[in-house]
Amino acid sequence: MTLIRLCLAALLCCFATLSSAQSFEDLVAQLPEGKFPERAAVVAQLAATGEPRAVGVLELLLEGNLHVLKSNEKVVEIREVGSEDVAFDALTAEEYGIVPRRGSTKIRVNNGLRRDIRAAIGTLTLRSPDPTLRLAAAEAAFSAPDPGQLDLLRAARTDESVDDVAEALDYAIAATVLEADDAPEADQVTAIATLREMGNQDALSVLTPLLQATNPVLATAAAEAVEAIEANQRLWNMAQNVWFGLSLGSVLLLAAIGLAITFGVMGVINMAHGELVMIGAYTTFFVQEIIRASFPGLFDWSLLIAAPLAFLIAGLVGIAIERGCVRFLYGRPLETLLATWGISLILQQTVRSIFGPNNREVGNPSWMSGAFEVGQMTITYNRLWILLFSLAVFAILLFVMKKTSAGLRMRAVTQNRAMAANMGIRTGWVDAMTFGLGAGIAGLAGVALSQIDNVSPNLGQSYIVDSFMVVVFGGAGNLWGTLAGAFTLGIANKFLEPYAGAVLAKILVLVFIILFIQKRPRGLFAVKGRAVEN
């Protein structure tokens, strides 16, 4: 019926204008003229122009915001600015100034004309040459199904060649068929099957009311579809939890991998490790501030510039801590813990004095912004890049430890310090470089964490306890154990959170680790060596 009304309106318009072609601006100027049938004819002609601006004009008309000024007969949009009504040109958005009371006349619409306007907007968007607009129109039709647009949707589906848009139109047609009271039963059953294939929460919201349908055939088909969708969603929710767990695990891995060296390899309880992570995050902030002020075109490169600087600065701070304090406390774990805790407070206050106590903004480069979907899973680019970055850091560190001369010396000192010293290895130099390496990796963790967390003087405190848990659970000094521990605890946390909450989930994980360490004091992967007990 809507299509018939539009055709009749177009014919009326053709007769009224003696088949003369009119510009888009002229058609907009004719909207205030005549009665509702003549206005419908103008709406049909606006839709026939294919002009992108017509959508905005028709939406204003549908919302009741389109007026005509009495002073110059201009068609305008009236916006309320403060306590005044201000007129803006409906086509160019040019401001005409404040409209006095009764200075304009509203272009009125009735229910029949509203249906024509919606159909015209649907025609303009569904027939748009831009597939993005067609997709948006199809999704809008699904969200607000209107049986009056069913013929229009089917016609658009017949002509559609883009797969994503065609699929969206299928779902919109299915939702519209189920909304129509006079749709044939066979069409409704087919629509239910289509939404079953859709299989997400939106389809579930359309199908759930049909469980109460008086027609037993529809109620049964809807019940089977709902059951299938819910089963499918449980699988996708499980996959989403695994992804969230991997994402959390990558963060824990970055925060803990440096600690695995200083605590696991050297046996030093470094309570300032979280502040080394914080230094990396503030290095990223400082680099971005310089780029914003002087080289804005390099912003997408800011993290690549900040990463080596963060590694260098945090590594130098770590070497200073080892040379200035920790080297005098080897073999005295309690004193080391207290000393590094004091250093952590000094570092926090230093950062507060320089940058202030408030959170600092660190932006995401364009290549880390946005998200994409895999089935019904949403994966954000920043989390994906952090996962890949953490694995890359792990692989490089593993290579350094296993395949380089420096790594060989580190492992030698770890396994038997006295024998390594007798073989000519400078154990003091190895201690400083090892501590610096762990601190530098903590700085890299800060670069990554700046993209997903608040950069503040307390940033490191959020990860220090979890980092120790990962290292102890995986096995002190074993990098593979740190990798396994990080991802195991990350996934366990995310599977427990829906049932126990975030805080209780962490408590349960801590209890599990305590019980686990009672059975395996050296963790999942124990380091073996002649002097490992010392």
Side-chain angles (χ1 to χ4, degrees):
M1 287 299 295
T2 302
L3 288 175
I4 293 172
R5 289 172 58 86
L6 285 172
C7 292
L8 290 174
L11 287 173
L12 282 172
C13 186
C14 289
F15 283 117
T17 59
L18 298 176
S19 301
S20 60
Q22 299 182 77
S23 69
F24 175 72
E25 290 76 9
D26 291 339
L27 290 171
V28 172
Q30 289 179 17
L31 281 173
E33 299 174 3
K35 297 183 179 180
F36 292 127
E38 288 79 8
R39 202 162 292 159
V42 176
V43 167
Q45 276 202 302
L46 285 171
T49 63
E51 170 68 48
R53 293 177 295 171
V55 176
V57 174
L58 292 176
E59 286 177 345
L60 291 174
L61 180 61
L62 185 64
E63 294 163 2
N65 294 330
L66 209 58
H67 293 239
V68 58
L69 294 178
K70 293 181 178 179
S71 58
N72 58 9
E73 302 296 325
K74 288 283 188 180
V75 176
V76 298
E77 175 192 3
I78 299 296
R79 301 179 197 169
E80 187 175 340
V81 180
S83 59
E84 304 287 351
D85 289 335
V86 180
F88 296 85
D89 190 281
L91 299 179
T92 64
E94 178 187 352
E95 183 176 343
Y96 288 141
I98 297 173
V99 179
R101 187 179 181 185
R102 298 180 181 177
S104 67
T105 302
K106 181 178 179 180
I107 303 176
R108 300 189 178 278
V109 296
N110 60 7
N111 289 335
L113 185 54
R114 286 190 184 94
R115 286 193 296 270
D116 293 341
I117 295 171
R118 291 192 185 98
I121 292 174
T123 300
L124 285 163
T125 51
L126 289 173
R127 300 292 185 180
S128 169
D130 185 354
T132 304
L133 292 178
R134 298 201 303 272
L135 180 61
E139 291 172 347
F142 175 86
S143 301
D146 181 2
Q149 292 194 3
L150 186 55
D151 292 337
L152 177 63
L153 290 169
R154 285 172 170 161
R157 175 62 181 88
T158 301
D159 298 335
E160 186 55 61
S161 59
V162 179
D163 291 340
D164 289 345
V165 181
E167 186 179 52
L169 283 169
D170 286 335
Y171 297 147
I173 291 169
T176 305
V177 166
L178 294 176
E179 186 72 16
D181 295 330
D182 57 349
E185 181 183 286
D187 289 354
Q188 291 182 314
V189 172
T190 302
I192 290 173
T194 301
L195 293 178
R196 177 174 178 170
E197 293 176 3
M198 187 180 185
N200 59 17
Q201 188 62 42
D202 292 333
L204 204 59
S205 64
V206 175
L207 292 172
T208 301
L210 294 178
L211 297 176
Q212 308 300 324
T214 55
N215 186 329
V217 175
L218 295 182
T220 302
E224 292 175 354
V226 167
E227 183 179 355
I229 291 173
E230 288 177 342
N232 185 55
Q233 283 192 317
R234 284 193 291 271
L235 292 176
W236 280 112
N237 287 339
M238 185 179 297
Q240 186 77 70
N241 281 336
V242 171
W243 164 248
F244 286 153
L246 291 174
S247 177
L248 176 60
S250 66
V251 172
L252 294 177
L253 177 63
L254 276 175
I257 198 169
L259 195 64
I261 297 174
T262 55
F263 175 59
V265 175
M266 301 180 65
V268 174
I269 304 175
N270 180 19
M271 295 300 294
H273 183 79
E275 279 57 49
L276 296 171
V277 174
M278 173 199 68
I279 287 173
Y282 272 98
T283 301
T284 308
F285 164 73
F286 185 70
V287 168
Q288 286 197 353
E289 286 298 293
I290 293 176
I291 289 176
R292 283 193 181 102
S294 304
F295 312 99
L298 295 177
F299 187 80
D300 279 350
W301 295 85
S302 59
L303 295 188
L304 300 178
I305 297 171
L309 289 175
F311 179 85
L312 182 62
I313 293 171
L316 290 175
V317 172
I319 292 173
I321 292 173
E322 196 279 335
R323 290 287 87 187
C325 177
V326 172
R327 71 184 176 121
F328 302 109
L329 301 174
Y330 285 126
R332 297 154 66 184
L334 181 59
E335 286 88 339
T336 304
L337 185 151
L338 292 174
T340 53
W341 179 63
I343 292 171
S344 74
L345 296 179
I346 293 172
L347 292 175
Q348 282 187 42
Q349 192 55 47
T350 301
V351 167
R352 284 193 182 92
S353 300
I354 297 173
F355 297 101
N358 298 325
N359 294 341
R360 293 295 180 174
E361 179 187 359
V362 174
N364 292 110
S366 61
W367 48 273
M368 287 189 73
S369 303
F372 64 96
E373 291 188 357
V374 177
Q376 295 183 36
M377 286 174 50
T378 300
I379 298 177
T380 57
Y381 283 110
N382 59 353
R383 293 278 183 174
L384 178 61
W385 279 111
I386 289 173
L387 174 61
L388 297 176
F389 179 68
S390 66
L391 294 176
V393 170
F394 175 82
I396 293 171
L397 182 60
L398 197 65
F399 175 82
V400 170
M401 296 295 291
K402 299 293 185 182
K403 301 296 182 181
T404 66
S405 175
L408 179 64
R409 287 177 170 81
M410 289 181 196
R411 288 185 287 125
V413 173
T414 300
Q415 293 180 13
N416 195 315
R417 176 180 292 271
M419 183 177 291
N422 290 332
M423 295 296 293
I425 295 175
R426 297 167 57 191
T427 57
W429 180 87
V430 170
D431 289 338
M433 292 301 103
T434 303
F435 204 95
L437 177 62
I441 293 173
L444 292 178
V447 175
L449 292 176
S450 69
Q451 299 299 295
I452 59 174
D453 207 340
N454 295 323
V455 177
S456 70
N458 299 319
L459 171 66
Q461 297 299 308
S462 304
Y463 297 96
I464 185 67
V465 175
D466 289 338
S467 299
F468 273 110
M469 286 199 300
V470 167
V471 174
V472 171
F473 175 66
N478 191 302
L479 294 181
W480 286 108
T482 303
L483 177 72
F487 286 116
T488 300
L489 296 183
I491 293 173
N493 257 304
K494 290 304 176 182
F495 272 94
L496 287 173
E497 280 181 8
Y499 306 101
V503 176
L504 185 56
K506 286 184 177 293
I507 294 173
L508 291 175
V509 169
L510 177 60
V511 171
F512 165 75
I513 291 176
I514 292 172
L515 296 176
F516 179 82
I517 295 301
Q518 297 298 313
K519 294 293 184 182
R520 292 181 64 90
R522 296 183 184 179
L524 281 174
F525 301 92
V527 176
K528 296 179 181 179
R530 291 191 178 99
V532 73
E533 299 293 341
N534 295 333

Coordinates of all heavy atoms in Angstrom, one line a residue, residues 398-463:
L398 N 63.5 -15.2 25.8 CA 63.9 -16.6 25.7 C 65.1 -16.8 24.9 O 66.0 -17.6 25.2 CB 62.7 -17.4 25.2 CG 62.7 -18.9 25.5 CD1 62.6 -19.2 27.0 CD2 61.6 -19.6 24.8
F399 N 65.1 -16.1 23.8 CA 66.3 -16.2 22.9 C 67.6 -15.7 23.6 O 68.6 -16.3 23.5 CB 66.0 -15.4 21.6 CG 67.2 -15.3 20.7 CD1 67.5 -16.4 19.8 CD2 68.1 -14.2 20.6 CE1 68.6 -16.4 19.0 CE2 69.2 -14.2 19.8 CZ 69.4 -15.3 19.0
V400 N 67.4 -14.5 24.3 CA 68.6 -13.9 25.0 C 69.1 -14.9 26.0 O 70.3 -15.1 26.2 CB 68.2 -12.6 25.6 CG1 69.3 -12.1 26.5 CG2 67.9 -11.6 24.5
M401 N 68.2 -15.5 26.8 CA 68.6 -16.4 27.9 C 69.2 -17.7 27.4 O 70.1 -18.3 28.1 CB 67.3 -16.7 28.8 CG 66.8 -15.5 29.5 SD 67.9 -14.7 30.7 CE 67.9 -15.9 31.9
K402 N 68.7 -18.2 26.3 CA 69.1 -19.5 25.8 C 70.2 -19.5 24.8 O 71.0 -20.5 24.6 CB 67.9 -20.3 25.3 CG 66.8 -20.5 26.2 CD 67.2 -21.5 27.4 CE 66.0 -21.8 28.3 NZ 66.4 -22.6 29.4
K403 N 70.3 -18.5 24.0 CA 71.2 -18.5 22.8 C 72.3 -17.4 22.8 O 73.0 -17.4 21.8 CB 70.3 -18.3 21.5 CG 69.2 -19.3 21.3 CD 69.8 -20.7 21.1 CE 68.7 -21.7 20.8 NZ 69.2 -23.1 20.6
T404 N 72.4 -16.6 23.8 CA 73.4 -15.6 23.8 C 74.4 -15.8 24.9 O 74.1 -16.5 25.9 CB 72.8 -14.2 23.9 OG1 72.2 -14.1 25.2 CG2 71.8 -13.9 22.9
S405 N 75.6 -15.2 24.8 CA 76.6 -15.3 25.8 C 76.2 -14.7 27.1 O 76.4 -15.3 28.2 CB 77.9 -14.7 25.3 OG 78.9 -14.7 26.3
A406 N 75.5 -13.6 27.0 CA 75.0 -12.9 28.3 C 74.0 -13.8 29.0 O 74.0 -14.0 30.2 CB 74.3 -11.6 27.9
G407 N 73.1 -14.5 28.2 CA 72.1 -15.4 28.8 C 72.8 -16.6 29.5 O 72.4 -17.0 30.6
L408 N 73.9 -17.1 28.8 CA 74.6 -18.2 29.4 C 75.2 -17.8 30.8 O 75.2 -18.6 31.7 CB 75.7 -18.7 28.4 CG 76.6 -19.8 28.9 CD1 75.7 -21.1 29.0 CD2 77.7 -20.0 27.9
R409 N 75.8 -16.6 30.8 CA 76.4 -16.2 32.1 C 75.3 -16.0 33.2 O 75.5 -16.3 34.3 CB 77.1 -14.8 31.9 CG 78.4 -15.0 31.1 CD 79.0 -13.6 30.9 NE 80.4 -13.7 30.3 CZ 80.7 -14.0 29.1 NH1 79.7 -14.1 28.2 NH2 82.0 -14.1 28.7
M410 N 74.1 -15.5 32.8 CA 73.0 -15.3 33.8 C 72.6 -16.7 34.3 O 72.4 -16.8 35.5 CB 71.8 -14.7 33.1 CG 72.0 -13.2 32.7 SD 70.5 -12.5 32.0 CE 71.1 -11.0 31.3
R411 N 72.5 -17.7 33.4 CA 72.0 -19.0 33.9 C 73.1 -19.6 34.8 O 72.8 -20.4 35.7 CB 71.7 -19.9 32.7 CG 70.4 -19.4 32.0 CD 70.0 -20.4 30.9 NE 70.8 -20.2 29.8 CZ 71.5 -21.1 29.1 NH1 71.4 -22.4 29.6 NH2 72.2 -20.9 28.1
A412 N 74.4 -19.4 34.4 CA 75.5 -20.0 35.2 C 75.5 -19.4 36.6 O 75.6 -20.1 37.6 CB 76.8 -19.7 34.5
V413 N 75.4 -18.1 36.7 CA 75.3 -17.4 38.0 C 74.1 -17.9 38.8 O 74.2 -18.1 40.1 CB 75.3 -15.9 37.9 CG1 75.1 -15.2 39.2 CG2 76.7 -15.4 37.3
T414 N 73.0 -18.1 38.2 CA 71.8 -18.5 38.9 C 72.0 -19.9 39.4 O 71.6 -20.2 40.6 CB 70.6 -18.6 37.9 OG1 70.4 -17.2 37.4 CG2 69.3 -19.0 38.6
Q415 N 72.6 -20.9 38.6 CA 72.7 -22.2 39.1 C 73.8 -22.5 40.1 O 73.6 -23.3 41.0 CB 72.9 -23.1 37.8 CG 71.7 -23.1 36.9 CD 71.9 -24.0 35.7 OE1 72.9 -24.8 35.6 NE2 71.1 -23.9 34.7
N416 N 74.9 -21.8 39.9 CA 76.0 -22.0 40.9 C 76.9 -20.7 40.9 O 77.8 -20.6 40.1 CB 76.8 -23.2 40.6 CG 77.7 -23.7 41.7 OD1 78.3 -22.8 42.4 ND2 77.7 -25.0 42.0
R417 N 76.6 -19.8 41.8 CA 77.3 -18.5 41.8 C 78.8 -18.7 42.0 O 79.6 -18.1 41.3 CB 76.7 -17.6 42.8 CG 77.4 -16.3 43.0 CD 76.7 -15.4 44.0 NE 75.4 -15.0 43.6 CZ 75.2 -13.9 42.9 NH1 76.2 -13.1 42.5 NH2 74.0 -13.6 42.5
A418 N 79.1 -19.5 43.0 CA 80.5 -19.7 43.4 C 81.3 -20.3 42.2 O 82.4 -19.8 41.9 CB 80.7 -20.6 44.6
M419 N 80.8 -21.3 41.6 CA 81.5 -22.0 40.5 C 81.6 -21.0 39.3 O 82.7 -20.9 38.6 CB 80.8 -23.2 40.0 CG 81.5 -24.0 38.9 SD 80.7 -25.5 38.5 CE 81.0 -26.5 40.0
A420 N 80.6 -20.2 39.0 CA 80.6 -19.2 37.9 C 81.7 -18.2 38.2 O 82.4 -17.8 37.3 CB 79.3 -18.6 37.8
A421 N 81.8 -17.8 39.5 CA 82.9 -16.8 39.8 C 84.3 -17.4 39.6 O 85.2 -16.7 39.1 CB 82.7 -16.3 41.2
N422 N 84.4 -18.7 40.0 CA 85.7 -19.3 39.8 C 86.1 -19.6 38.4 O 87.2 -19.7 38.0 CB 85.7 -20.7 40.5 CG 85.7 -20.5 42.1 OD1 86.2 -19.5 42.6 ND2 85.1 -21.5 42.8
M423 N 85.0 -19.6 37.5 CA 85.3 -19.7 36.1 C 85.6 -18.4 35.4 O 85.7 -18.3 34.2 CB 84.1 -20.4 35.4 CG 83.8 -21.8 35.8 SD 85.1 -23.0 35.4 CE 85.0 -23.0 33.6
G424 N 85.6 -17.3 36.1 CA 86.0 -16.0 35.6 C 84.8 -15.1 35.2 O 85.0 -14.1 34.7
I425 N 83.6 -15.5 35.6 CA 82.4 -14.7 35.2 C 82.3 -13.6 36.3 O 82.4 -13.9 37.5 CB 81.2 -15.5 35.2 CG1 81.2 -16.5 34.0 CG2 79.9 -14.7 35.0 CD1 80.1 -17.5 34.0
R426 N 82.2 -12.4 35.9 CA 82.0 -11.2 36.8 C 80.6 -11.3 37.3 O 79.7 -10.7 36.7 CB 82.3 -9.9 36.1 CG 83.8 -9.8 35.6 CD 84.0 -8.7 34.7 NE 83.6 -7.4 35.3 CZ 83.4 -6.3 34.6 NH1 83.6 -6.3 33.3 NH2 83.1 -5.2 35.2
T427 N 80.4 -11.9 38.5 CA 79.0 -12.1 39.0 C 78.4 -10.8 39.3 O 77.1 -10.6 39.2 CB 79.1 -13.0 40.2 OG1 79.9 -12.4 41.2 CG2 79.6 -14.4 39.8
G428 N 79.1 -9.8 39.8 CA 78.5 -8.5 40.1 C 78.0 -7.8 38.9 O 76.9 -7.2 38.9
W429 N 78.8 -7.9 37.8 CA 78.3 -7.3 36.5 C 77.1 -8.0 36.0 O 76.1 -7.4 35.5 CB 79.4 -7.4 35.5 CG 79.1 -6.8 34.2 CD1 79.2 -5.5 33.8 CD2 78.5 -7.5 33.0 NE1 78.8 -5.3 32.5 CE2 78.3 -6.6 32.0 CE3 78.2 -8.8 32.8 CZ2 77.8 -6.9 30.8 CZ3 77.7 -9.2 31.6 CH2 77.5 -8.2 30.6
V430 N 77.1 -9.3 36.1 CA 75.9 -10.1 35.7 C 74.7 -9.8 36.5 O 73.6 -9.7 36.0 CB 76.2 -11.6 35.8 CG1 75.0 -12.5 35.6 CG2 77.3 -12.0 34.8
D431 N 74.9 -9.6 37.8 CA 73.7 -9.2 38.7 C 73.1 -7.9 38.2 O 71.9 -7.8 38.1 CB 74.2 -9.1 40.1 CG 74.5 -10.5 40.8 OD1 74.0 -11.5 40.2 OD2 75.3 -10.5 41.8
A432 N 74.0 -6.9 38.0 CA 73.5 -5.6 37.6 C 72.8 -5.7 36.2 O 71.7 -5.1 36.1 CB 74.7 -4.6 37.5
M433 N 73.4 -6.4 35.3 CA 72.7 -6.5 33.9 C 71.4 -7.3 34.0 O 70.4 -7.0 33.3 CB 73.7 -7.1 33.0 CG 74.9 -6.3 32.6 SD 74.5 -4.7 31.9 CE 74.8 -3.6 33.3
T434 N 71.4 -8.3 34.8 CA 70.2 -9.1 35.0 C 69.1 -8.3 35.6 O 67.9 -8.3 35.1 CB 70.4 -10.4 35.8 OG1 71.5 -11.1 35.3 CG2 69.2 -11.2 35.9
F435 N 69.4 -7.6 36.6 CA 68.4 -6.7 37.3 C 67.9 -5.6 36.3 O 66.8 -5.3 36.2 CB 69.0 -6.1 38.5 CG 68.0 -5.6 39.6 CD1 67.7 -6.5 40.6 CD2 67.4 -4.4 39.5 CE1 66.7 -6.1 41.6 CE2 66.4 -4.0 40.4 CZ 66.1 -4.9 41.4
G436 N 68.9 -5.1 35.6 CA 68.5 -4.0 34.6 C 67.6 -4.6 33.5 O 66.7 -3.9 33.0
L437 N 67.9 -5.9 33.0 CA 67.1 -6.5 32.0 C 65.6 -6.7 32.5 O 64.7 -6.3 31.8 CB 67.7 -7.8 31.6 CG 66.9 -8.7 30.6 CD1 66.7 -7.9 29.3 CD2 67.5 -10.0 30.4
G438 N 65.5 -7.2 33.8 CA 64.2 -7.3 34.3 C 63.4 -6.0 34.5 O 62.2 -5.9 34.2
A439 N 64.2 -5.0 34.9 CA 63.6 -3.6 35.1 C 63.2 -3.1 33.7 O 62.1 -2.5 33.6 CB 64.6 -2.7 35.8
G440 N 64.0 -3.3 32.7 CA 63.7 -2.8 31.3 C 62.4 -3.4 30.8 O 61.6 -2.8 30.2
I441 N 62.3 -4.7 31.0 CA 61.1 -5.4 30.6 C 59.8 -4.9 31.3 O 58.7 -4.8 30.7 CB 61.2 -6.9 30.7 CG1 62.3 -7.4 29.8 CG2 59.9 -7.7 30.5 CD1 62.7 -8.9 30.0
A442 N 60.0 -4.6 32.6 CA 58.9 -3.9 33.3 C 58.5 -2.6 32.7 O 57.3 -2.2 32.6 CB 59.3 -3.7 34.8
G443 N 59.5 -1.8 32.2 CA 59.2 -0.6 31.5 C 58.4 -0.9 30.2 O 57.5 -0.1 29.9
L444 N 58.8 -1.9 29.5 CA 58.0 -2.3 28.3 C 56.5 -2.6 28.7 O 55.6 -2.3 28.0 CB 58.6 -3.5 27.6 CG 60.0 -3.2 26.9 CD1 60.5 -4.5 26.3 CD2 59.8 -2.1 25.8
A445 N 56.4 -3.3 29.8 CA 55.0 -3.6 30.3 C 54.3 -2.3 30.6 O 53.1 -2.2 30.3 CB 55.1 -4.4 31.6
G446 N 54.9 -1.3 31.1 CA 54.3 0.0 31.3 C 53.8 0.6 30.0 O 52.7 1.3 30.0
V447 N 54.6 0.5 28.9 CA 54.1 1.0 27.6 C 52.8 0.4 27.2 O 51.9 1.1 26.7 CB 55.2 0.8 26.6 CG1 54.7 1.2 25.2 CG2 56.5 1.5 26.9
A448 N 52.7 -0.9 27.3 CA 51.5 -1.6 26.9 C 50.4 -1.3 27.9 O 49.2 -1.1 27.4 CB 51.8 -3.2 26.9
L449 N 50.6 -1.3 29.2 CA 49.5 -1.0 30.1 C 49.0 0.4 30.0 O 47.8 0.6 30.3 CB 50.0 -1.3 31.5 CG 50.3 -2.8 31.9 CD1 50.9 -2.9 33.3 CD2 49.1 -3.6 31.7
S450 N 49.8 1.3 29.5 CA 49.3 2.7 29.3 C 48.1 2.7 28.3 O 47.4 3.7 28.3 CB 50.4 3.6 28.9 OG 50.8 3.3 27.5
Q451 N 48.0 1.7 27.5 CA 46.9 1.7 26.5 C 45.6 1.2 27.0 O 44.6 1.4 26.4 CB 47.4 0.9 25.3 CG 48.6 1.4 24.6 CD 48.4 2.8 24.0 OE1 47.6 3.0 23.1 NE2 49.1 3.7 24.6
I452 N 45.6 0.5 28.2 CA 44.4 -0.1 28.7 C 44.1 0.3 30.1 O 43.0 -0.1 30.7 CB 44.4 -1.6 28.6 CG1 45.6 -2.2 29.4 CG2 44.5 -2.0 27.1 CD1 45.6 -3.7 29.4
D453 N 45.0 1.1 30.8 CA 44.8 1.4 32.2 C 45.1 2.9 32.4 O 45.7 3.5 31.5 CB 45.7 0.5 33.1 CG 45.1 0.3 34.4 OD1 44.2 1.1 34.9 OD2 45.5 -0.7 35.1
N454 N 44.7 3.4 33.6 CA 45.0 4.7 33.9 C 46.5 4.9 34.2 O 47.0 4.1 35.0 CB 44.2 5.2 35.1 CG 42.7 5.2 34.8 OD1 42.3 5.6 33.7 ND2 41.9 4.8 35.8
V455 N 47.1 5.9 33.7 CA 48.5 6.2 34.0 C 48.5 7.1 35.2 O 48.2 8.3 35.1 CB 49.2 6.8 32.8 CG1 50.7 7.2 33.1 CG2 49.2 5.9 31.6
S456 N 48.9 6.6 36.3 CA 49.0 7.3 37.6 C 50.1 6.8 38.4 O 50.7 5.7 38.1 CB 47.7 7.2 38.3 OG 47.5 5.9 38.8
P457 N 50.5 7.5 39.5 CA 51.6 7.0 40.3 C 51.3 5.7 41.0 O 52.2 5.0 41.4 CB 51.7 8.1 41.4 CG 51.2 9.3 40.7 CD 50.1 8.9 39.9
N458 N 50.0 5.3 41.0 CA 49.7 4.0 41.7 C 49.5 2.8 40.6 O 49.0 1.8 41.0 CB 48.4 4.1 42.4 CG 48.5 5.2 43.5 OD1 49.5 5.2 44.2 ND2 47.4 6.0 43.7
L459 N 49.9 3.1 39.4 CA 49.7 2.1 38.3 C 50.3 0.7 38.7 O 49.7 -0.3 38.6 CB 50.2 2.6 37.0 CG 50.3 1.6 35.9 CD1 48.9 1.2 35.5 CD2 51.0 2.1 34.7
G460 N 51.5 0.8 39.1 CA 52.2 -0.5 39.4 C 51.7 -1.3 40.6 O 51.8 -2.5 40.6
Q461 N 51.1 -0.6 41.5 CA 50.5 -1.4 42.7 C 49.4 -2.3 42.3 O 49.2 -3.3 43.0 CB 50.0 -0.3 43.7 CG 51.1 0.6 44.3 CD 52.2 -0.2 45.0 OE1 51.9 -1.0 45.9 NE2 53.4 0.1 44.6
S462 N 48.8 -2.1 41.2 CA 47.7 -3.0 40.8 C 48.2 -4.3 40.2 O 47.4 -5.2 40.1 CB 46.8 -2.3 39.7 OG 46.4 -1.0 40.1
Y463 N 49.5 -4.4 39.9 CA 50.0 -5.6 39.3 C 51.0 -6.3 40.0 O 51.4 -7.4 39.7 CB 50.5 -5.2 37.9 CG 49.4 -4.7 37.0 CD1 49.2 -3.3 36.8 CD2 48.6 -5.5 36.3 CE1 48.2 -2.8 36.0 CE2 47.6 -5.1 35.4 CZ 47.4 -3.7 35.3 OH 46.4 -3.2 34.5

